[in-house]
Amino acid sequence: MSVTVAAILVLALTLYACTGIADYGAGFWDLTAGGRDRGRLPRSLIDNAVTPVWEANHVWLIYVLVLCWTGFGSTFASVMSTLYIPLALALLGIVLRAAGFAMSKDAARARMRHLAGWLFGVGSFLTPFCLGTAVGAVLTGRIPVGNAAGDEITSWLNPSSILAGLLTVAVGAYVSAVYLLAEAHRHGTAALHGYFRFRARAAGVTGLLLGLGLLLALHVDERQMFDRVVQRGWPLLLLSLALLAGSFRLAAGVRVWRMRLVAAGGIAALVGAWAVAQYPYLLPFSLTVQDGAAGPATLRWLLIWFVGALVLVVPALILLFWLDQKGELGEDPATSRIPAQGGSVQEGSSVQEGSVQEGSAQA
Amino acid sequence: MNADLLAAPAQLLPAREQMALTLMFHIVFVPFGIALPTMMLIANYKGLKRNDTVALTLARRWSHAAGLTFAVGAASGTVLSFEMGLLWPGLTGKFGEVFGLPFAIEGVLFFLEAILVAIYIYGWRRLKPWTHFWLGMPIPFVAIGGAFSIISANAWMNMPAGFTIDANGQITDVDPIGAIFNKALPYEFGHFLVAAYMAAAFAVASIYVVGWLKGRRDRYHRLGILIPLTIATVLTPVQFVVGDLTAVAVFKDQPAKFAAMEVVTESGTHQPEVLFGRYDSATNTVEGGLSVPGLNSWLAGGSVDTYVPGLDQVPPENRPSNVTIVHWAFDIMVGVGTVLLLLAFWFFVAYWRRRDVPDNRVFLWFAASAGVLTYIAVEAGWIVTEVGRQPWIVYNIMRTEEAVTNTDAGTLWISFSLIALLYLSLAIGTITVLRAMSRRWRRSDQTDDELAVYGPRPSIEEVSS
């Protein structure tokens, strides 16, 4: 039973990586989109793509946290107390991002909006990076069981953890570039097609190099974990590579949904490789899933509630994404700040059309 | 600062301060998350039923405010779930399996709410009107379910249940369902749910009353006052009954908290009701304050002969660490509640006679300040529950200093300062945005576009003309 709950935890983490981390990637592209004029078009697409869904995507993280402290309380306590600094910084990023979001929604003045954009962007880098270093710290066996029993600094400030953090940022950036490519396609903004294809390529190559770097660092740092990753995780690593490469090839085509699903599959395989390498340990190499799990009654109820959650959330989530992709959801013209598309707006992209005016009037 | 706080680990104070700050911030957004969807759906229903564009405009604007407060609430709620581990690993590490399930339930319900709210907010223009309304319909129920879960976890900290501790101090026989339905749940949940609806309703009404006072006496403002004020008027008397039941239950379940709330120093019958005053923990006496003989005993047990245990029965190290704060918070909460009851009664009588927003300026000023007043009561009530439970994080089982992280106190002070700064800017940002929203709404009141709530989006030419 404890293994099933751990599997659910991995599933929730995967979904967070495919959605929430990708939203941070979008924030990263927002941050690097350039000056006010140059960045207007990509920013409007990012804003339009992320706004209706980011909150739902973000909740996976909360679910991971509560699942962790309910199902694996002592692990949660050990990780949170030893990794206080990076996790508090990740939290800082989450709040900064929310502040940026709250401010940008109706910020009337350009300077305010500029600041909001910065908060949004900085938060978008900080959070995935810090969460990644935390994963790196667990992976390299730097978290002993106990209340702040590990080293507060070196547990996450080491080559392996930092590479894991950067890899998380790169993965988010890659996936979001692929998603945004699909969005650009859906909205018929041809100008952004090449723009995000280039960024997807750049992030993909960077991610690949960082992944190799992480493996190398792991080889030096924690040989036992390296062996596990390579010996047990290789099919998943290869699958991940194949899917991510495939998603990139599909990006040239028109099959928007398939492209996104394949990219998400690549991320899922990557998370899976980590999970498989670490199994049966929760905290390598001192605490196993079985030993660290809550009592049977709690695990049973967590599983029952997981089924309940599926029944409640999945239909709603499908409805949200379906309505979103059908173009049924969109900003009010009165509250939106999406600027004009020039002449490139096609039939069916009225979500943007209707909201064009306000933004350009204020800019 | 009293003796036991000095003996506590150095990281306890910054941890408690940070938790208090983030909780008190988060709780501002909770009532809106719970009650604003109800108000917007009432307005939406009214609008659709009577083809009333003013009501529909109200509903749509409330949905935008709900979306914003929901987003800020989501972020500050995330902070809290991180802090459960960052600040209190001793609690989650040991008792996570006992009281974690309601958090898992809340996580999923919150997820559902986020999805439905997104569909509702972004669905105004293009979904069919009644489809849109029905998609919004589950939101209030999901929100109430979420509040139920969180309050259940908090009630568990006050009345722990659903486990036993064996001879070695290990937790056994965990029963998560028993933990959820603990003894404190019914009254804590009832008290908080009504408080949340009251707070959001009075707050929303007071915004439109301010507009009314400034002479904007149109149908839009009239509805904006009448819908929430009716809800508040119905609920305020209910809260008096529920609040009284809650106090009596705390008297039975947590005598030390009750003694701190009512600042009872010496046990006995014929206890006076002391209003305000200052508690001296060194001598266990009260200085100053207004004393009403026998009232406290009468309120607790229905007779002046009711025996009320005082703080003298609690060993000094187990007494709530800030009795004066708890007592003042309790008096403020009850005082504000009484004032709001008067307001509700006034509105009821006045509306009965004129079928309109009362014209009396004293009433209007009173109603305009009700939003702030009710929030003061909510914060005070939260202080009573949380500070009153100290020094226990799990009542009579785990002390707060046993739960706190071993992270260096200096690190905690830095993170507390950062969080405080950040929350200040978040608060300023939120208020700025809400004000900008209302200014923009007022500007667009002069145009017809805003009144076309449903239907296709206006084209670029229409908007720009």
Side-chain angles (χ1 to χ4, degrees):
Chain A
M1 208 150 53
S2 56
V3 177
T4 316
V5 174
I8 293 173
L9 192 62
V10 172
L11 177 70
L13 267 172
T14 307
L15 288 167
Y16 182 62
C18 293
T19 57
I21 295 289
D23 284 349
Y24 285 109
F28 181 77
W29 297 127
D30 187 293
L31 181 68
T32 53
R36 204 172 293 164
D37 290 326
R38 205 155 57 86
R40 177 168 301 147
L41 200 57
R43 281 205 182 95
S44 74
L45 186 77
I46 291 167
D47 187 59
N48 200 21
V50 174
T51 300
V53 291
W54 76 269
E55 239 170 282
N57 292 343
H58 170 75
V59 184
W60 285 116
L61 180 63
I62 301 180
Y63 189 65
V64 167
L65 289 175
V66 297
L67 201 60
C68 221
W69 92 54
T70 310
F72 308 100
S74 61
T75 307
F76 177 77
S78 310
V79 170
M80 295 302 268
S81 56
T82 291
L83 294 173
Y84 184 91
I85 296 170
L87 290 173
L89 285 174
L91 188 54
L92 192 74
I94 290 169
V95 181
L96 277 178
R97 207 174 130 88
F101 178 79
M103 278 164 68
S104 73
K105 242 21 245 161
D106 278 70
R109 272 167 300 167
R111 247 180 57 202
M112 180 99 158
R113 205 178 302 149
H114 198 65
L115 176 69
W118 260 98
L119 293 179
F120 187 76
V122 171
S124 292
F125 178 82
L126 199 58
T127 303
F129 175 73
C130 290
L131 291 176
T133 59
V135 169
V138 173
L139 190 67
T140 53
R142 285 186 164 89
I143 313 294
V145 181
N147 186 343
D151 191 292
E152 281 182 29
I153 306 291
T154 59
S155 58
W156 60 282
L157 217 54
N158 62 72
S160 311
S161 300
I162 287 175
L163 281 168
L166 291 174
L167 178 63
T168 311
V169 175
V171 162
Y174 174 76
V175 183
S176 75
V178 172
Y179 290 175
L180 287 167
L181 197 50
E183 283 290 304
H185 189 83
R186 189 164 68 85
H187 288 297
T189 36
L192 288 177
H193 226 194
Y195 182 92
F196 281 114
R197 190 174 315 156
F198 170 72
R199 274 156 182 76
R201 192 176 293 160
V205 171
T206 313
L208 191 64
L209 291 176
L210 285 167
L212 289 174
L214 176 60
L215 276 179
L216 201 67
L218 208 57
H219 184 78
V220 180
D221 191 9
E222 178 57 78
R223 186 61 194 269
Q224 202 182 342
M225 188 51 82
F226 172 83
D227 291 344
R228 288 167 153 268
V229 170
V230 175
Q231 282 159 15
R232 302 174 174 194
W234 68 266
L236 284 164
L237 282 179
L238 283 184
L239 178 66
S240 173
L241 263 181
L243 287 172
L244 291 174
S247 72
F248 188 72
R249 275 202 62 76
L250 283 170
V254 289
R255 294 202 167 83
V256 169
W257 267 106
R258 188 181 297 177
M259 171 170 97
R260 272 188 274 203
L261 285 175
V262 170
I267 303 306
L270 201 59
V271 177
W274 164 41
V276 166
Q278 204 175 299
Y279 183 79
Y281 292 103
L282 277 172
L283 296 175
F285 294 92
S286 55
L287 190 69
T288 62
V289 171
Q290 196 132 38
D291 293 340
T298 304
L299 295 179
R300 193 170 56 242
W301 277 108
L302 277 178
L303 290 176
I304 291 171
W305 177 241
F306 177 70
V307 176
L310 286 181
V311 173
L312 285 173
V313 169
V314 171
L317 206 56
I318 290 172
L319 183 68
L320 174 69
F321 284 123
W322 182 66
L323 288 173
D324 186 42
Q325 291 300 309
K326 256 182 67 183
E328 295 278 320
L329 304 181
E331 285 277 319
D332 254 306
T335 56
S336 175
R337 59 188 184 89
I338 300 173
Q341 298 281 325
S344 65
V345 178
Q346 288 184 357
E347 194 61 33
S349 55
S350 51
V351 175
Q352 283 174 317
E353 256 176 67
S355 35
V356 160
Q357 178 54 31
E358 184 87 353
S360 48
Q362 287 178 353
Chain B
M1 205 176 288
N2 58 23
D4 67 308
L5 213 59
L6 283 176
Q11 67 272 27
L12 183 61
L13 188 61
R16 275 186 69 183
E17 298 292 320
Q18 184 175 329
M19 195 72 193
L21 173 81
T22 45
L23 264 177
M24 291 182 72
F25 184 89
H26 181 66
I27 209 173
V28 172
F29 297 92
V30 174
F32 286 111
I34 296 173
L36 207 50
T38 308
M39 285 185 252
M40 92 199 169
L41 287 168
I42 291 174
N44 193 344
Y45 182 80
K46 256 176 110 74
L48 288 178
K49 205 75 189 163
R50 306 207 187 128
N51 204 10
D52 180 346
T53 45
V54 175
L56 287 177
T57 304
L58 261 184
R60 196 178 59 173
R61 290 177 176 181
W62 284 348
S63 79
H64 282 288
L68 178 71
T69 51
F70 193 77
V72 182
S76 57
T78 312
V79 173
L80 291 175
S81 45
F82 265 90
E83 283 175 345
M84 289 293 284
L86 288 177
L87 301 176
W88 315 109
L91 175 67
T92 37
K94 188 162 184 185
F95 289 105
E97 60 174 312
V98 185
F99 82 122
L101 187 63
F103 287 100
I105 294 172
E106 150 68 9
V108 170
L109 292 180
F110 189 77
F111 201 167
L112 193 58
E113 195 181 352
I115 295 168
L116 293 170
V117 166
I119 291 174
Y120 189 83
I121 295 175
Y122 298 112
W124 274 103
R125 281 282 173 188
R126 314 199 98 217
L127 290 170
K128 286 199 191 84
W130 279 106
T131 311
H132 177 249
F133 171 77
W134 284 111
L135 283 174
M137 208 45 202
I139 299 174
F141 301 99
V142 176
I144 290 171
F148 175 88
S149 314
I150 290 297
I151 294 296
S152 159
N154 180 265
W156 178 86
M157 290 161 78
N158 285 303
M159 279 285 106
F163 64 98
T164 45
I165 296 178
D166 66 14
N168 305 321
Q170 295 300 308
I171 311 275
T172 55
D173 302 328
V174 175
D175 169 19
I177 300 301
I180 289 179
F181 295 98
N182 61 75
K183 213 176 145 198
L185 175 68
Y187 56 87
E188 256 200 48
F189 176 59
H191 192 47
F192 181 77
L193 186 63
V194 179
Y197 266 88
M198 275 174 67
F202 274 124
V204 170
S206 67
I207 291 166
Y208 292 92
V209 171
V210 170
W212 194 263
L213 272 167
K214 287 182 179 166
R216 297 188 201 107
R217 310 208 160 185
D218 46 22
R219 218 177 103 64
Y220 173 73
H221 281 81
R222 180 173 292 121
L223 268 184
I225 295 169
L226 290 180
I227 293 173
L229 210 50
T230 305
I231 295 173
T233 299
V234 172
L235 289 179
T236 308
V238 174
Q239 185 68 309
F240 248 75
V241 179
V242 177
D244 185 58
L245 290 173
T246 306
V248 171
V250 171
F251 165 65
K252 288 181 180 136
D253 293 344
Q254 292 179 279
K257 184 189 274 184
F258 186 80
M261 278 156 55
E262 297 280 26
V263 70
V264 181
T265 51
E266 305 297 329
S267 311
T269 59
H270 297 81
Q271 291 286 358
E273 178 79 24
V274 180
L275 298 176
F276 300 103
R278 207 169 69 246
Y279 176 74
D280 184 348
S281 60
T283 57
N284 189 30
T285 51
V286 184
E287 289 167 38
L290 190 72
S291 187
V292 185
L295 183 61
N296 186 7
S297 280
W298 187 76
L299 286 173
S303 139
V304 291
D305 293 323
T306 308
Y307 175 84
V308 181
L311 288 165
D312 59 334
Q313 301 242 318
V314 187
E317 71 275 13
N318 286 352
R319 285 178 197 161
S321 41
N322 289 297
V323 172
T324 308
I325 291 179
V326 177
H327 173 60
W328 275 61
F330 180 69
D331 281 357
I332 289 170
M333 174 181 74
V334 176
V336 169
T338 313
V339 167
L340 291 175
L341 186 67
L342 278 176
L343 179 70
F345 185 68
W346 191 340
F347 174 72
F348 177 75
V349 172
Y351 186 77
W352 186 274
R353 289 167 60 184
R354 286 190 49 228
R355 302 278 152 186
D356 198 359
V357 176
D359 210 18
N360 187 306
R361 279 196 89 74
V362 178
F363 172 85
L364 289 174
W365 277 104
F366 195 177
S369 53
V372 174
L373 282 177
T374 174
Y375 261 99
I376 291 173
V378 167
E379 295 281 4
W382 200 244
I383 289 171
V384 172
T385 320
E386 296 302 282
V387 182
R389 193 187 57 239
Q390 302 300 326
W392 304 103
I393 197 164
V394 182
Y395 191 62
N396 277 341
I397 289 173
M398 182 184 254
R399 296 176 72 91
T400 311
E401 63 252 35
E402 293 174 68
V404 77
T405 177
N406 283 336
T407 301
D408 178 62
T411 310
L412 286 188
W413 279 115
I414 292 171
S415 84
F416 170 58
S417 322
L418 274 178
I419 287 276
L421 251 171
L422 203 60
Y423 270 39
L424 187 70
S425 44
L426 195 56
I428 293 171
T430 310
I431 293 167
T432 313
V433 170
L434 284 172
R435 284 180 60 105
M437 243 187 208
S438 88
R439 268 201 303 276
R440 198 192 53 233
W441 287 343
R442 211 173 305 137
R443 271 204 310 277
S444 60
D445 275 346
Q446 280 95 43
T447 69
D448 289 338
D449 167 58
E450 272 286 306
L451 292 177
V453 178
Y454 281 114
R457 286 161 179 283
S459 69
I460 301 175
E461 293 77 35
E462 273 176 302
V463 181
S464 52
S465 61

